[in-house]
Amino acid sequence: MTSQYAGELCTLLVEDNFGELFARIFSTLNRYDRLSFSRLKFYSRLSNAQLRHGLAAMIQQHLVYHYTSYDDGITYYEPNMQSAYYLVRSGKILELIEHRLGKYAATVMSTIMFLGHAQVGYLETLPALRPSNSDVNRASEERDGIHETEEYHGEEARQETEEHRETEGRPNGLNSDYTSTERPALLHPTLKALAGHGYILRVRDAQFQSYADNALDAERTIKSRPDIKSLKGKKLDEAVTEGTLELLKERLDGDLTRGLMFNGVPRGAKRRHTTGATEASNKKARVDYAAVDEDEDGGEENEWSDDDFGEDTIPMESGITVRINYEKLDVALRNRRFLELAERDSSPVTAEVYESLLRRIEYQTAKCRDTTEIPREGEEGEHYSVPVPLRAVVEDVDLFLDLAGSVGPMEVSQPINRRGKRPLEETTNGAAHDGTNGGQSDGNRTYEVDQHLCLLAQPPYSLTSKRMVSGLITWTVEFRHLARKLRHLELERIIEARYGDVALRVVRVLHDKGKLDEKRLQEISLLPFKDLRQVLASMQTGGFVDLQEVPRDALRQPSKTIFLWFYDPDRVGNSVLEDTYKAMSRCLQRLRFERSRLKEFLEKTERSDVKGNEERYLSEAELNLLEQWRAKEALLLGEVARLDEMVAVIRDY
């Protein structure tokens, strides 16, 4: 992200979120890339006090890297472009957290995001994280949101009865002591849930330095070891490279999931149940499922049970400093895009099975890619996810989900006998008996989940892959293949929107066949020469296709030269990425201009007495103007969010 428009976009995001001082420091560092304090003061034209306070706050927000040289002892500063860009993705992140872990978890995440990083002890003192009276009355519901469950109506009624008994005898059902003790009971389980999912991590000293500085420092440390000094040649290079990577991993590792995972799943993450199960009691559902597990394990008790993990009352250490783990959140957002891709051609039941598989994979995937740069088309190897056993997917799928309704029959239809009748099925008391307690048998359920995953493994997307590991059926996802497919679909959508379906056909032919001359391209695409030349000329002007000259002799005469048309997805992707950065920055600039035009009016609407009482204090004309402004703001911000999806597909996934 060192291009002109990327730097312009990041500067606008920093200015919109933190003000002009941060923007001036960030733009200066972006222009000159790496500066000492004295040079930064000279170029930014800021005083010592302004620059020191600004740098301290920007380091707190992880917007600036700093590194003190071992040679001269001078501290150098450089911008953190990736962290600045993630400001535009904060809304999607909070929406994801609220959907998965509840509203209170999104509030905690928003607070950590606003502070950059914070100690757990400091978060305990913040009034914003203290639940209100209504939050205290719904404390159990918030914990259920943290654990990703939907409790049965009977269970909810029992909890509400217990809460009512606890609040009896208090003024208005509450008192100050209860409110103060309820706060850590909500905060610490929420932090543990966020840490267990990998959405927050521990802050390490090396995270305040750029990756290049950390790599050079680690390499210097490894080379100074006595056992490394005795090596020579290739062995020395291999030992230095291996030791540098291990030391980097150790210094940058801020993982907090250790001790918070059980069988590859965060502690407290329970299976979800649909509302269709409310007629049955919670106890009966668990008995049925336990019986299925006992049949599968040969009478042994199931290790993973909803009852194993109650409310975790052990608080986190107050001295731990946490921050947002954007790499893990990229994995969650990427899985959501994969799920949207599956929903195009699959049934809702199949998509829900796929979501269970992706959720299991997400828990064990730290980041989207090991390298920061995307490999070129054709040079990237296969990158499969961790294999997930079929049994684990079956356990996570909703017990009352109709798996057989969207797939074919499980068994081949039986042949008709000589009398023209099918033989009677084995029944008990005249009714078919599927499984334990009238529920679906474990064999049928496992087979049906496997069939849904087999449907997802079919072309053209090949969303899943089946493997045998130690004789067990496991399912994986080939990340690089799906990420490449998403990029191709995004580029094809842009080409079709700009140049039409004829251009899309030509691009697909070039991508499939490689470099072709005009005659061969016309034969394959079945287009008239006139239309083909017009489309190729327009796409060449836009930079989507290009020509390569292959001369037949040294004179390079046009009559003796072969002109080959080709389509390079990597170059087109980089070009589209730059255009996307430019479009996002123009949207933000337009939003700022529109806001400056209505500055006095917007200041009036944002007053504390007017906000929420617009109909009382604003005239009819002002209400119409406010409605128009909100619609325009939503349009521009929605466009920025849509463009961010393109950036994520082309660059991050």
Side-chain angles (χ1 to χ4, degrees), residues 139-207:
S140 62
E141 297 178 7
E142 291 291 340
R143 295 190 197 100
D144 293 341
I146 293 172
H147 294 309
E148 300 180 299
T149 60
E150 295 179 3
E151 295 291 346
Y152 296 101
H153 291 325
E155 188 72 14
E156 290 177 349
R158 183 181 61 80
Q159 291 179 356
E160 291 174 359
T161 304
E162 292 178 357
E163 290 177 2
H164 179 69
R165 292 175 181 173
E166 292 176 359
T167 55
E168 284 182 351
R170 301 192 185 108
N172 298 326
L174 297 169
N175 60 17
S176 58
D177 296 336
Y178 184 77
T179 303
S180 61
T181 57
E182 188 67 28
R183 173 180 49 80
L186 282 177
L187 177 61
H188 289 284
T190 303
L191 289 174
K192 285 193 173 185
L194 292 171
H197 285 77
Y199 299 149
I200 59 175
L201 50 80
R202 184 196 299 265
V203 176
R204 305 294 297 270
D205 292 338
Q207 295 173 2

Side-chain angles (χ1 to χ4, degrees), residues 5 22 58 79 88 99 137 146 163 177 203 240 269 282 302 338 359 383 388 405 437 465 507 589 619 626 653:
Y5 296 116
F22 281 35
M58 294 181 75
V88 79
H99 173 70
N137 290 333
I146 293 172
E163 290 177 2
D177 296 336
V203 176
V240 169
N282 193 13
N302 182 23
F338 290 166
R359 188 68 64 87
H383 180 202
V388 177
N437 296 331
S465 299
V507 165
Q589 289 174 353
S619 62
L626 179 61
Y653 298 162

Side-chain angles (χ1 to χ4, degrees), residues 86 89 92-93 96 100 326-340 362 368 486 644-645 648 653:
Y86 276 118
R89 208 169 287 176
K92 295 178 184 177
I93 292 173
L96 176 70
R100 291 193 175 182
Y326 289 106
E327 292 181 343
K328 184 71 172 185
L329 289 165
D330 278 344
V331 175
L333 294 174
R334 181 183 65 177
N335 287 348
R336 190 165 68 174
R337 285 303 300 265
F338 290 166
L339 185 62
E340 293 174 0
E362 177 192 328
C368 292
L486 285 177
D644 174 59
E645 290 285 345
Y653 298 162

Side-chain angles (χ1 to χ4, degrees), residues 538-589:
S538 59
M539 286 197 296
Q540 186 184 20
T541 305
F544 287 90
V545 296
D546 209 343
L547 271 175
Q548 180 180 358
E549 300 179 3
V550 182
R552 296 180 180 178
D553 54 10
L555 299 178
R556 305 181 68 90
Q557 296 180 2
S559 59
K560 296 183 179 181
T561 301
I562 301 175
F563 296 93
L564 300 177
W565 291 97
F566 67 94
Y567 167 73
D568 188 358
D570 295 318
R571 189 172 66 174
V572 173
N574 292 331
S575 176
V576 170
L577 192 60
E578 290 299 314
D579 293 342
T580 307
Y581 288 147
K582 183 178 180 180
M584 294 174 71
S585 62
R586 295 298 178 266
C587 288
L588 293 177
Q589 289 174 353

Side-chain angles (χ1 to χ4, degrees), residues 176-430:
S176 58
D177 296 336
Y178 184 77
T179 303
S180 61
T181 57
E182 188 67 28
R183 173 180 49 80
L186 282 177
L187 177 61
H188 289 284
T190 303
L191 289 174
K192 285 193 173 185
L194 292 171
H197 285 77
Y199 299 149
I200 59 175
L201 50 80
R202 184 196 299 265
V203 176
R204 305 294 297 270
D205 292 338
Q207 295 173 2
F208 294 96
Q209 303 170 4
S210 65
Y211 186 83
D213 290 332
N214 282 318
L216 291 175
D217 190 18
E219 185 178 353
R220 186 185 299 110
T221 303
I222 294 298
K223 287 183 177 179
S224 62
R225 287 166 42 181
D227 56 334
I228 300 296
K229 290 181 179 180
S230 60
L231 300 177
K232 294 181 180 179
K234 291 185 178 180
K235 291 185 178 180
L236 175 62
D237 297 337
E238 293 176 357
V240 169
T241 302
E242 183 179 356
T244 301
L245 293 177
E246 291 179 358
L247 187 58
L248 276 175
K249 184 178 180 180
E250 179 183 350
R251 290 181 176 180
L252 295 173
D253 184 22
D255 187 20
L256 288 174
T257 60
R258 300 181 185 91
L260 299 177
M261 302 285 289
F262 183 82
N263 287 346
V265 178
R267 287 181 178 270
K270 300 181 182 179
R271 305 182 193 93
R272 297 174 302 164
H273 303 280
T274 58
T275 56
T278 55
E279 298 178 359
S281 65
N282 193 13
K283 181 177 179 181
K284 180 179 179 181
R286 289 178 180 173
V287 168
D288 293 346
Y289 196 70
V292 172
D293 287 336
E294 288 175 1
D295 293 340
E296 182 175 354
D297 295 339
E300 296 181 1
E301 185 178 359
N302 182 23
E303 293 181 345
W304 172 248
S305 173
D306 292 347
D307 297 329
D308 289 343
F309 307 110
E311 180 185 351
D312 192 356
T313 58
I314 302 177
M316 292 186 69
E317 297 180 15
S318 300
I320 295 179
T321 305
V322 295
R323 59 169 295 192
I324 306 298
N325 187 4
Y326 289 106
E327 292 181 343
K328 184 71 172 185
L329 289 165
D330 278 344
V331 175
L333 294 174
R334 181 183 65 177
N335 287 348
R336 190 165 68 174
R337 285 303 300 265
F338 290 166
L339 185 62
E340 293 174 0
L341 188 63
E343 290 174 349
R344 292 185 180 182
D345 302 324
S346 304
S347 65
V349 177
T350 305
E352 190 164 342
V353 173
Y354 190 48
E355 183 181 6
S356 301
L357 175 64
L358 290 177
R359 188 68 64 87
R360 279 274 182 170
I361 293 174
E362 177 192 328
Y363 294 147
Q364 304 178 55
T365 306
K367 51 186 176 181
C368 292
R369 288 194 313 273
D370 295 332
T371 58
T372 56
E373 296 182 358
I374 301 177
R376 287 186 56 84
E377 191 86 12
E379 297 180 1
E380 52 184 358
E382 295 180 348
H383 180 202
Y384 286 93
S385 67
V386 293
V388 177
L390 178 60
R391 176 189 171 189
V393 182
V394 174
E395 290 177 353
D396 290 347
V397 174
D398 186 7
L399 295 175
F400 297 90
L401 189 65
D402 184 14
L403 297 172
S406 57
V407 295
M410 177 177 173
E411 298 178 356
V412 181
S413 59
Q414 298 178 355
I416 301 175
N417 56 20
R418 295 179 180 179
R419 296 183 179 181
K421 298 181 180 180
R422 292 185 176 88
L424 295 176
E425 297 179 356
E426 296 181 1
T427 57
T428 303
N429 297 328

Side-chain angles (χ1 to χ4, degrees), residues 35 50 98 145 210 414 417 422 448 461 485 537:
L35 295 173
Q50 289 176 326
E98 183 175 356
S210 65
Q414 298 178 355
N417 56 20
R422 292 185 176 88
E448 289 167 356
Y461 297 141
K485 192 67 177 179

